[in-house]
């Protein structure tokens, strides 16, 4: 073992809350809506772009520039990522949840059979995912701290690590030392979506459970950064609030994090809340055109951020955005615990729009002139 | 043209290549063949390590997606150069190097340690520490570093087989932005200097070779070209031209014509 000559310097502890509190929601909205065609032109011409440029690119004023934004996003993505799309699958471990979230199938007040996979069931899911070719999986749960807490996660990581090259997590926010511990056990990335950055709206949609604390959730990426997790995934649930303002705050969060935790990678997702019978109706509906505007704006703001698109989106939309800046796809996803090994499709978190198999999606990626990549990490890489 | 010698191997081609960012493994294979390259770097994290180990132990190929990339690289002219891209410190790099040696059956290694995933800037301190350990462990170490002349001498002293200073940020296609420092490194080096990263055009590659760099490593510029195979051929020709020019003696640049010698003319009078 080598001796590291210098101790790693520890930066002062900071928090996004300080930056966040400098901005009122209304100010962000006003900034975006006051952008003009000249601001958009300037944003497109700048070799590096800041938050004001991003505000211009997501503003209504940028709508006529969509084709140019797409061309620039395509070039920037090719330079940084090449002609490849990474594939991953979500692995739902549990739908037990003690939160009430107005938009989620797992919400505590939903009459739904609750299920947490035991080790044998996890291995059965593993077998199916491996047969599909997966090397990267995203472990997903609700929030049930007593039955699905750190001891459960440690057990799951020990069980899964020998089978997959990359393990990511989308579960309740944890403490810094928990993230450190899981990183030692092979954790690569953590996704933690703020859902919305507007506090009043957040309270309406998260009335009960630990998730009702806006501040604790907002602070989670800082804990992840300090714990040295390799990649942090951000995003909002599009439809809870005005997507432009929420995306502006997401971008602000991304900027703050990438300057503070410069050893960490970042990814962004943009799940859209879909109107469906009996479910929560979105307060603002984002069109396909607007989602393309957002995807390309993120790419033009940050050439290095990974952009991920799930099976919530339709086949047609997913097939067509491959060259526009997206870097990561899920495919063949099941959003219920045990969904891969058992045929039954109840207990789902959300409905899937793109139901094609991973092999079919990979074939479409290849047909678009891109290479599907299944493995881009090795379980031996532990920090 | 002179052969390039690094450790126990000699190379006719001075164009080293990468394997990332291609639209498919077949396009990659065709482009690498067109480039004439004899040294191809592969990120360990993209390799199906289990499959490679299994094949080594039992001779049986495992069915799967990942194995496919290595299959496209099995040509007598290609030597594999595993790299440690993705590791953040010396400890991880050493682990990855050992895994690469085991799985790919080569003790050659491109040592890359970049704790910064954004610009992939190499960490000089961790790289020097890891290089020292890996040389002791009989690896042929080619470290990816900043164009830092002192660091390059230190890496030479700990026994690296070559150094790979960057021309500009990786993937940026910005050419030889570090030219002034590369010139010092080339002048001082007792081991081969391979300019890595940032070479966006064949003319950048030709320039590096004209300056006396021993080789260049090119990936993005070939992989994301509209026609990667023809671009690979363009780089092959540019590298040959640059080297030929270097061996023939590139005339020095002059800012002013030297028509007369007014200060010393009196000596001839």
């Amino acid at each position: 073992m080598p001796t590291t000559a210098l101790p790693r310097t520890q930066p002062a502890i900071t928090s996004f809350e300080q930056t966040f509190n400098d901005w009122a929601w209304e100010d962000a909205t006003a900034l975006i809506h006051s952008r003009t065609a000249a601001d958009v032109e300037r944003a497109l011409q700048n070799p590096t772009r800041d938050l004001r440029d991003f505000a211009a690119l997501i503003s209504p004023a940028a709508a006529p520039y969509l084709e140019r934004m797409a061309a620039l996003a395509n070039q920037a993505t090719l330079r940084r990522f090449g002609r490849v799309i990474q594939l991953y699958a979500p692995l739902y471990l549990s739908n037990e949840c003690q939160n009430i979230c107005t938009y989620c199938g797992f919400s505590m007040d939903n009459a739904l059979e609750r299920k947490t996979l035991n080790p044998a069931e996890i291995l059965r899911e593993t077998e199916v995912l491996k047969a599909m070719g997966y090397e990267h999986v995203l472990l997903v749960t609700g929030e049930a701290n007593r039955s699905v807490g750190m001891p459960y996660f440690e057990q799951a990581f020990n069980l899964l690590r020998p089978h997959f090259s990359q393990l990511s997590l989308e579960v309740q926010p944890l403490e810094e030392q928990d993230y450190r511990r899981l990183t030692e056990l092979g954790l690569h990335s953590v996704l933690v979506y703020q859902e919305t950055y507007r506090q009043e709206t957040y309270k309406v949609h998260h009335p009960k459970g630990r998730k009702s604390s806006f501040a604790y959730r907002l602070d989670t990426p800082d804990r992840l950064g300090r714990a040295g997790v390799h990649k942090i995934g951000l995003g909002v649930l599009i439809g809870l609030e005005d997507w432009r303002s929420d995306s502006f705050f997401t971008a602000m969060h991304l900027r703050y994090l990438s300057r503070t935790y410069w050893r960490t990678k970042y990814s962004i997702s943009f799940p859209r809340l879909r109107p469906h019978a009996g479910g929560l109706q979105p307060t603002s509906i984002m069109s396909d055109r607007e989602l393309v505007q957002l995807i390309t704006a993120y790419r033009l703001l940050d050439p290095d951020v990974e952009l991920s698109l799930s099976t919530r989106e339709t086949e047609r939309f997913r097939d067509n955005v491959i060259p526009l800046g997206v870097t990561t796809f899920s495919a063949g996803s099941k959003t219920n615990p045990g969904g891969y090994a058992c045929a039954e499709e109840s207990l789902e978190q959300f409905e899937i729009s793109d139901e094609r198999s991973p092999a079919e999606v990979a074939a479409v990626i290849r047909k678009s002139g891109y290479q599907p990549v299944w493995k881009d990490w090795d379980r031996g890489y532990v920090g | 043209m002179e052969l390039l010698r690094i450790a126990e191997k000699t190379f006719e081609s001075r164009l080293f290549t990468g394997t990332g960012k291609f639209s498919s493994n077949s396009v990659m294979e065709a482009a690498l063949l067109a480039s004439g390259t004899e040294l191809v770097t592969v990120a360990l994290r993209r390799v199906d390590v289990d499959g490679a180990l299994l094949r080594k132990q039992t001779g049986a190929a495992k069915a799967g997606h990942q194995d496919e990339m290595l299959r496209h690289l099995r040509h007598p002219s290609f030597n594999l150069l595993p790299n440690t891209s993705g590791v953040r410190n010396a400890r991880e790099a050493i682990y990855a190097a050992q895994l690469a040696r085991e799985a790919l059956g080569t003790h050659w290694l491109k040592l890359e340690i970049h704790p910064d995933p954004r610009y992939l800037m190499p960490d000089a301190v961790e790289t020097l520490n890891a290089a020292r350990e890996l040389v002791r462990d009989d690896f042929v170490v080619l470290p990816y570093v900043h164009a830092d002349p002192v660091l390059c001498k230190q890496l030479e002293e700990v026994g690296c087989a070559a150094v790979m200073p960057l021309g500009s940020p990786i993937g940026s296609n910005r050419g030889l932005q570090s030219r002034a420092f590369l010139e010092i490194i080339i002048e001082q080096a007792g081991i081969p200097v391979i300019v890595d990263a940032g070479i966006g055009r064949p003319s950048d590659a030709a320039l590096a070779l004209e300056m006396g760099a021993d080789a260049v490593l090119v990936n993005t510029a070939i992989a994301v070209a509209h026609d990667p195979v023809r671009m690979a051929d363009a780089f092959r020709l540019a590298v040959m031209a640059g080297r030929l020019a270097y061996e023939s003696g590139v005339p020095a640049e002059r800012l002013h014509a030297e028509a007369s010698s007014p200060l010393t003319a009196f000596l001839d009078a």
Side-chain angles (χ1 to χ4, degrees):
Chain A
M1 286 288 126
T3 49
T4 302
L6 297 167
R8 183 176 284 188
T9 50
Q10 290 295 336
I13 289 188
T14 61
S15 152
F16 175 59
E17 209 177 350
Q18 296 148 4
T19 313
F20 178 71
N21 286 339
D22 288 344
W23 279 83
W25 178 271
E26 293 72 22
D27 294 345
T29 310
L31 174 75
I32 295 163
H33 287 275
S34 65
R35 298 298 89 191
T36 63
D39 294 322
V40 179
E41 292 273 2
R42 202 174 313 115
L44 289 173
Q45 276 160 22
N46 283 343
T48 59
R49 302 181 180 93
D50 62 15
L51 276 179
R52 285 181 165 269
D53 294 322
F54 182 74
L57 296 174
I58 60 170
S59 74
Y65 295 88
L66 198 56
E67 185 61 32
R68 228 169 106 197
M69 287 173 69
L72 289 171
N74 167 261
Q75 287 163 20
T77 311
L78 278 184
R79 240 186 343 261
R80 177 64 181 84
F81 295 92
R83 293 182 201 278
V84 301
I85 296 280
Q86 285 200 23
L87 288 166
Y88 78 96
L91 170 47
Y92 279 69
L93 297 176
S94 169
N95 62 5
E96 286 188 63
C97 196
Q98 280 131 28
N99 291 316
I100 294 183
C101 305
T102 57
Y103 48 81
C104 179
F106 293 172
S107 187
M108 190 174 80
D109 54 352
N110 270 4
L112 179 81
E113 192 194 323
R114 301 294 164 164
K115 172 85 191 155
T116 297
L117 301 187
N118 64 34
E121 290 166 328
I122 294 177
L123 288 176
R124 275 206 289 279
E125 295 286 280
T126 298
E127 226 172 273
V128 179
L129 288 168
K130 290 291 286 188
M132 290 171 166
Y134 279 114
E135 282 291 330
H136 294 190
V137 288
L138 169 67
L139 310 181
V140 187
T141 70
E143 173 155 14
N145 289 291
R146 252 175 246 123
S147 47
V148 189
M150 274 301 284
Y152 183 85
F153 295 135
E154 290 181 42
Q155 184 192 39
F157 272 83
N158 286 328
L159 205 59
L160 291 167
R161 194 172 184 189
H163 300 285
F164 293 105
S165 298
Q166 191 182 90
L167 296 172
S168 306
L169 208 53
E170 186 179 345
V171 304
Q172 71 271 30
L174 302 172
E175 292 297 321
E176 184 180 330
Q177 73 260 23
D178 298 335
Y179 290 132
R180 248 180 238 287
R181 170 77 188 128
L182 291 176
T183 299
E184 285 167 17
L185 296 180
L187 171 65
H188 180 269
S189 10
V190 175
L191 312 188
V192 55
Y193 304 146
Q194 190 60 31
E195 317 297 7
T196 176
Y197 284 86
R198 188 175 204 178
Q199 296 198 52
E200 300 78 9
T201 309
Y202 185 92
K203 283 203 172 63
V204 171
H205 291 289
H206 308 93
K208 195 172 178 307
R210 284 184 55 172
K211 194 169 175 178
S212 61
S213 169
F214 180 89
Y216 186 68
R217 198 169 185 84
L218 191 69
D219 188 50
T220 306
D222 277 289
R223 295 197 298 281
L224 289 164
R226 286 195 293 273
V229 167
H230 289 268
K231 187 167 77 190
I232 301 174
L234 305 175
V236 291
L237 182 55
I238 290 171
L240 294 184
E241 253 305 342
D242 169 55
W243 67 265
R244 298 180 207 269
S245 305
D246 251 341
S247 302
F248 180 79
F249 282 102
T250 309
M252 186 189 297
H253 207 164
L254 173 67
R255 272 281 142 124
Y256 158 81
L257 289 168
S258 52
R259 287 206 178 130
T260 312
Y261 310 103
W262 56 272
R263 291 182 179 83
T264 309
K265 281 189 180 194
Y266 298 90
S267 72
I268 304 267
S269 309
F270 1 77
R272 282 195 282 185
L273 186 61
R274 297 214 170 250
H276 66 277
L280 178 76
Q281 299 305 312
T283 49
S284 85
I285 293 177
M286 178 194 231
S287 67
D288 284 357
R289 183 168 280 275
E290 288 168 335
L291 182 49
V292 167
Q293 185 183 353
L294 180 63
I295 292 172
T296 54
Y298 273 126
R299 175 56 68 230
L300 297 181
L301 173 72
D302 188 332
D304 301 291
V305 71
E306 294 180 14
L307 301 176
S308 178
L309 206 63
S310 81
T311 52
R312 274 174 188 263
E313 297 298 336
T314 61
E315 295 182 19
R316 183 172 173 274
F317 188 81
R318 297 215 313 160
D319 295 355
N320 283 291
V321 296
I322 290 171
L324 297 189
V326 168
T327 58
T328 316
F329 268 13
S330 53
S333 303
K334 302 290 180 195
T335 68
N336 53 325
Y340 293 105
C342 78
E344 211 184 323
E345 283 191 18
S346 53
L347 329 180
E348 289 173 329
Q349 190 193 20
F350 61 86
E351 268 182 59
I352 305 292
S353 293
D354 182 351
E355 294 186 335
R356 291 172 296 182
S357 70
E360 288 171 311
V361 172
V364 169
I365 293 171
R366 276 192 290 270
K367 223 180 118 203
S368 307
Y370 280 65
Q371 182 181 177
V373 166
W374 304 83
K375 179 180 185 290
D376 192 32
W377 196 247
D378 197 87
R379 60 176 163 273
Y381 290 8
V382 276
Chain B
M1 275 184 294
E2 285 175 32
L3 295 178
L4 168 59
R5 187 174 181 86
I6 301 175
E8 79 278 9
K9 287 195 165 107
T10 49
F11 299 91
E12 280 181 38
S13 165
R14 291 169 181 268
L15 175 57
F16 299 165
T17 49
T19 49
K21 302 185 179 180
F22 284 95
S23 60
S24 71
N25 287 320
S26 345
V27 170
M28 171 189 78
E29 183 182 5
L32 297 184
L33 287 172
S35 76
T37 188
E38 293 164 319
L39 193 65
V40 178
T41 190
V42 180
L44 179 69
R45 65 184 194 191
R46 287 285 304 275
V47 171
D48 173 16
V49 174
D50 297 339
L53 286 175
L54 188 75
R55 193 176 41 250
K56 215 176 131 206
Q57 284 154 9
T58 66
K62 190 185 96 174
H65 305 281
Q66 294 78 39
D67 212 28
E68 204 197 318
M69 178 170 69
L70 291 181
R71 213 164 50 235
H72 285 268
L73 294 175
R74 257 177 246 135
H75 281 276
S77 57
F78 296 166
N79 292 282
L80 291 189
L81 177 64
N83 71 61
T84 59
S85 167
V87 306
R88 300 196 288 191
N89 56 42
R91 188 165 59 97
E92 287 182 359
I94 290 167
Y95 177 86
Q98 287 162 346
L99 201 57
R101 176 163 65 184
E102 185 73 10
L104 299 176
T106 172
H107 64 307
W108 281 54
L109 184 79
K110 182 180 173 203
L111 176 62
E112 306 185 26
I113 303 179
H114 24 73
D116 146 41
R118 198 174 176 82
Y119 292 104
L120 307 178
M121 291 286 117
D123 182 324
V125 176
E126 295 288 322
T127 303
L128 184 58
N129 283 334
R132 192 182 289 121
E133 293 292 318
L134 289 167
V135 168
R136 275 190 208 136
D137 197 10
D138 293 328
F139 280 93
V140 172
V141 181
L142 288 74
Y144 167 60
V145 289
H146 278 286
D148 176 341
V150 171
L151 178 63
C152 286
K153 287 310 282 183
Q154 288 169 328
L155 287 163
E156 182 179 334
E157 281 169 2
V158 303
C160 289
V163 285
M164 308 184 77
L166 55 79
S168 51
I170 193 162
S172 70
N173 292 343
R174 286 167 70 180
L176 305 185
Q177 300 282 330
S178 60
R179 178 171 183 173
F181 307 101
L182 290 173
E183 284 168 347
I184 300 171
I185 292 168
I186 292 165
E187 182 202 326
Q188 294 182 334
I191 51 178
V193 176
I194 301 147
V195 177
D196 185 2
I199 293 177
R201 302 152 185 274
S203 53
D204 298 330
L207 176 60
L209 274 290
E210 279 172 19
M211 282 161 51
D214 295 278
V216 290
L217 193 144
V218 181
N219 182 17
T220 305
I222 294 175
V224 309
H226 185 64
D227 185 340
V229 177
R230 280 164 66 92
M231 185 58 92
D233 197 32
F235 270 101
R236 181 182 66 81
L237 295 167
V239 166
M240 281 172 58
R243 179 64 193 183
L244 207 52
Y246 172 77
E247 287 182 14
S248 324
V250 180
E253 279 179 36
R254 284 186 317 195
L255 288 177
H256 306 288
E258 289 170 32
S260 59
S261 317
L263 300 179
T264 56
F266 75 97
L267 296 170
D268 302 320

